[in-house]
Amino acid sequence: MGYFATTEHTFVESSDRVDLGASRKDIDSALLYDADRLTKAAVASYLASSQVAAGGHFTWSNITLYYARFHTITALLRLAGVAVVNRGQRL
């Protein structure tokens, strides 16, 4: 939640479309914010993977590398304007 949270936008009734409000600026900001966070997480996971592999823990290194790839792909999707939106109840 917060200013950049995409969850603050509402769904139009009986539709799968998101109401962006007065302008697209808010959703663009949210997508860029997410892409930035995910890129940082990808770099951190990649560096952690390298350190873990250097210690001989190759299985855990592969798991961390998987998350680096996952964060990278998700960040690229955000830059393309693609985001998964949960229509479920708020917690």
Side-chain angles (χ1 to χ4, degrees), residues 10-28:
T10 58
F11 283 94
V12 178
E13 281 300 314
S14 69
S15 173
D16 287 335
R17 300 184 66 81
V18 176
D19 179 14
L20 300 178
S23 70
R24 189 172 159 80
K25 182 180 173 184
D26 289 342
I27 195 74
D28 287 343

Side-chain angles (χ1 to χ4, degrees), residues 1-6 8-9 25-27 29-30 33:
M1 299 306 294
Y3 178 74
F4 294 112
T6 55
E8 293 179 1
H9 300 287
K25 182 180 173 184
D26 289 342
I27 195 74
S29 295
Y33 177 76

Side-chain angles (χ1 to χ4, degrees), residues 1-78:
M1 299 306 294
Y3 178 74
F4 294 112
T6 55
T7 54
E8 293 179 1
H9 300 287
T10 58
F11 283 94
V12 178
E13 281 300 314
S14 69
S15 173
D16 287 335
R17 300 184 66 81
V18 176
D19 179 14
L20 300 178
S23 70
R24 189 172 159 80
K25 182 180 173 184
D26 289 342
I27 195 74
D28 287 343
S29 295
L31 291 171
L32 285 172
Y33 177 76
D34 281 353
D36 179 59
R37 268 186 331 116
L38 289 162
T39 301
K40 290 175 184 174
V43 170
S45 293
Y46 176 76
L47 293 174
S49 172
S50 300
Q51 290 295 316
V52 171
H57 304 283
F58 299 109
T59 302
W60 190 250
S61 172
N62 286 335
I63 292 169
T64 337
L65 191 57
Y66 165 83
Y67 281 103
R69 292 174 180 155
F70 173 80
H71 293 312
T72 300
I73 292 168
T74 308
L76 290 171
L77 286 171
R78 293 295 191 279

